[in-house]
Amino acid sequence: MPTSLSRRPAYTRGLLLVGDSAGTVNPFNGEGISYAMETGRTGAAAVLAALAAPEGPAREAVLRRYPETLRREFGAHHRLGGLFLKGLARPELVRFATAHGLKRPAAVSIALRLMGNLSDGRDGDGVDRVLDVLHRLTPSR
Protein backbone atom coordinates (compact mmCIF):
# COMPACT_ATOMS: atom_id res chain seq x y z
CA MET A 1 0.00 0.00 0.00
CA PRO A 2 1.28 3.50 -0.77
CA THR A 3 2.08 5.15 2.55
CA SER A 4 4.13 8.08 3.77
CA LEU A 5 2.98 10.46 1.06
CA SER A 6 5.09 8.34 -1.26
CA ARG A 7 3.41 9.20 -4.53
CA ARG A 8 5.03 12.10 -6.29
CA PRO A 9 4.31 14.58 -7.56
CA ALA A 10 1.16 15.20 -5.52
CA TYR A 11 0.50 18.06 -7.91
CA THR A 12 1.63 18.72 -11.43
CA ARG A 13 -0.02 20.64 -14.24
CA GLY A 14 -3.56 19.29 -14.56
CA LEU A 15 -3.14 16.56 -11.95
CA LEU A 16 -3.74 16.71 -8.20
CA LEU A 17 -3.46 13.44 -6.25
CA VAL A 18 -5.63 12.50 -3.26
CA GLY A 19 -6.16 9.36 -1.19
CA ASP A 20 -4.24 6.21 -2.11
CA SER A 21 -2.90 7.84 -5.25
CA ALA A 22 -1.17 10.45 -3.07
CA GLY A 23 0.22 7.78 -0.74
CA THR A 24 -1.93 8.72 2.24
CA VAL A 25 -2.83 5.23 3.43
CA ASN A 26 -2.49 4.98 7.21
CA PRO A 27 0.97 3.45 7.74
CA PHE A 28 -0.07 1.90 11.06
CA ASN A 29 -3.08 -0.09 9.89
CA GLY A 30 -3.54 0.23 6.12
CA GLU A 31 -6.77 2.21 6.42
CA GLY A 32 -7.37 4.58 3.56
CA ILE A 33 -11.00 5.68 3.38
CA SER A 34 -10.72 8.49 5.92
CA TYR A 35 -7.50 9.73 4.29
CA ALA A 36 -9.16 9.64 0.89
CA MET A 37 -11.94 11.81 2.25
CA GLU A 38 -9.61 14.16 4.12
CA THR A 39 -7.19 14.61 1.22
CA GLY A 40 -10.15 14.97 -1.14
CA ARG A 41 -11.33 17.87 1.01
CA THR A 42 -7.79 19.30 1.13
CA GLY A 43 -7.41 18.95 -2.63
CA ALA A 44 -10.80 20.53 -3.28
CA ALA A 45 -9.86 23.48 -1.06
CA ALA A 46 -6.64 23.91 -3.06
CA VAL A 47 -8.56 23.86 -6.34
CA LEU A 48 -11.14 26.35 -5.06
CA ALA A 49 -8.38 28.67 -3.84
CA ALA A 50 -6.66 28.37 -7.21
CA LEU A 51 -9.86 29.16 -9.09
CA ALA A 52 -10.26 32.28 -6.96
CA ALA A 53 -6.80 33.45 -8.06
CA PRO A 54 -6.22 35.14 -11.41
CA GLU A 55 -5.51 32.76 -14.28
CA GLY A 56 -1.88 32.06 -15.01
CA PRO A 57 1.10 32.05 -12.64
CA ALA A 58 -0.90 33.11 -9.57
CA ARG A 59 -3.29 30.17 -9.96
CA GLU A 60 -0.42 27.79 -10.57
CA ALA A 61 1.39 29.08 -7.45
CA VAL A 62 -1.64 28.22 -5.30
CA LEU A 63 -1.77 24.68 -6.68
CA ARG A 64 1.96 24.14 -6.25
CA ARG A 65 1.52 24.64 -2.49
CA TYR A 66 -0.75 21.56 -2.30
CA PRO A 67 2.06 19.00 -1.72
CA GLU A 68 3.37 21.06 1.20
CA THR A 69 -0.14 21.23 2.62
CA LEU A 70 -0.32 17.42 2.50
CA ARG A 71 3.04 17.14 4.26
CA ARG A 72 2.00 19.66 6.91
CA GLU A 73 -1.34 17.94 7.60
CA PHE A 74 -0.36 14.28 7.28
CA GLY A 75 3.42 14.03 7.16
CA ALA A 76 4.18 13.70 10.86
CA HIS A 77 1.65 10.92 11.35
CA HIS A 78 2.99 9.05 8.34
CA ARG A 79 6.55 9.52 9.59
CA LEU A 80 5.56 8.12 12.99
CA GLY A 81 3.97 5.17 11.19
CA GLY A 82 7.22 4.50 9.36
CA LEU A 83 9.11 4.52 12.64
CA PHE A 84 6.50 2.19 14.13
CA LEU A 85 6.97 -0.25 11.24
CA LYS A 86 10.74 -0.16 11.74
CA GLY A 87 10.12 -1.04 15.38
CA LEU A 88 8.03 -4.04 14.31
CA ALA A 89 11.06 -5.34 12.45
CA ARG A 90 12.85 -5.73 15.80
CA PRO A 91 11.64 -8.95 17.45
CA GLU A 92 12.97 -7.99 20.89
CA LEU A 93 10.95 -4.78 20.85
CA VAL A 94 7.81 -6.60 19.74
CA ARG A 95 8.27 -9.22 22.47
CA PHE A 96 8.73 -6.50 25.11
CA ALA A 97 5.70 -4.51 23.92
CA THR A 98 3.56 -7.64 23.76
CA ALA A 99 4.62 -8.87 27.18
CA HIS A 100 4.26 -5.54 28.96
CA GLY A 101 2.09 -3.20 26.90
CA LEU A 102 -0.85 -5.49 26.15
CA LYS A 103 -1.40 -6.04 29.87
CA ARG A 104 -2.11 -2.36 30.38
CA PRO A 105 -5.44 -1.16 28.96
CA ALA A 106 -4.30 2.48 29.12
CA ALA A 107 -1.22 1.69 27.01
CA VAL A 108 -3.36 -0.18 24.49
CA SER A 109 -5.82 2.72 24.33
CA ILE A 110 -3.02 5.22 23.72
CA ALA A 111 -1.47 3.00 21.04
CA LEU A 112 -4.83 2.60 19.28
CA ARG A 113 -5.41 6.34 19.33
CA LEU A 114 -1.95 6.94 17.88
CA MET A 115 -2.29 4.22 15.25
CA GLY A 116 -5.73 5.40 14.17
CA ASN A 117 -4.75 9.07 14.21
CA LEU A 118 -7.71 9.56 16.54
CA SER A 119 -6.71 12.63 18.45
CA ASP A 120 -8.27 16.00 19.09
CA GLY A 121 -4.82 17.54 19.34
CA ARG A 122 -4.32 20.43 21.71
CA ASP A 123 -8.06 20.66 22.34
CA GLY A 124 -8.40 17.10 23.65
CA ASP A 125 -7.57 15.32 26.87
CA GLY A 126 -4.09 14.70 28.26
CA VAL A 127 -3.40 11.81 25.88
CA ASP A 128 -4.44 13.95 22.92
CA ARG A 129 -2.09 16.71 24.02
CA VAL A 130 0.79 14.23 24.38
CA LEU A 131 0.06 12.82 20.91
CA ASP A 132 -0.09 16.37 19.57
CA VAL A 133 3.38 17.09 20.98
CA LEU A 134 4.65 13.82 19.53
CA HIS A 135 3.30 14.79 16.10
CA ARG A 136 4.76 18.29 16.34
CA LEU A 137 8.19 16.93 17.32
CA THR A 138 8.22 14.44 14.46
CA PRO A 139 9.60 15.85 11.21
CA SER A 140 7.05 15.58 8.41
CA ARG A 141 9.67 14.68 5.81
Side-chain angles (χ1 to χ4, degrees), residues 6-121:
S6 59
R7 305 292 185 175
R8 297 213 168 80
Y11 168 75
T12 190
R13 295 179 321 146
L15 177 68
L16 188 137
L17 301 179
V18 300
D20 291 4
S21 65
T24 58
V25 172
N26 187 318
F28 289 97
N29 60 21
E31 190 277 326
I33 294 171
S34 67
Y35 285 105
M37 294 171 65
E38 290 176 43
T39 57
R41 181 181 56 222
T42 302
V47 169
L48 287 173
L51 290 173
E55 264 189 73
R59 186 172 286 178
E60 187 67 19
V62 171
L63 291 168
R64 289 199 182 280
R65 288 194 296 268
Y66 174 71
E68 183 54 40
T69 301
L70 286 181
R71 279 189 291 284
R72 186 176 59 252
E73 290 186 20
F74 305 102
H77 184 72
H78 281 78
R79 177 93 167 152
L80 283 172
L83 296 171
F84 176 80
L85 292 175
K86 284 182 181 180
L88 289 180
R90 299 182 59 191
E92 69 280 2
L93 182 59
V94 173
R95 277 192 296 278
F96 179 84
T98 302
H100 302 286
L102 291 177
K103 295 177 184 177
R104 293 173 173 76
V108 172
S109 175
I110 291 168
L112 290 174
R113 286 166 73 174
L114 172 64
M115 292 169 59
N117 201 15
L118 301 172
S119 171
D120 290 325

Side-chain angles (χ1 to χ4, degrees), residues 109-110 113 118-132:
S109 175
I110 291 168
R113 286 166 73 174
L118 301 172
S119 171
D120 290 325
R122 295 178 191 169
D123 299 328
D125 63 12
V127 172
D128 287 336
R129 290 190 296 276
V130 168
L131 294 177
D132 179 63

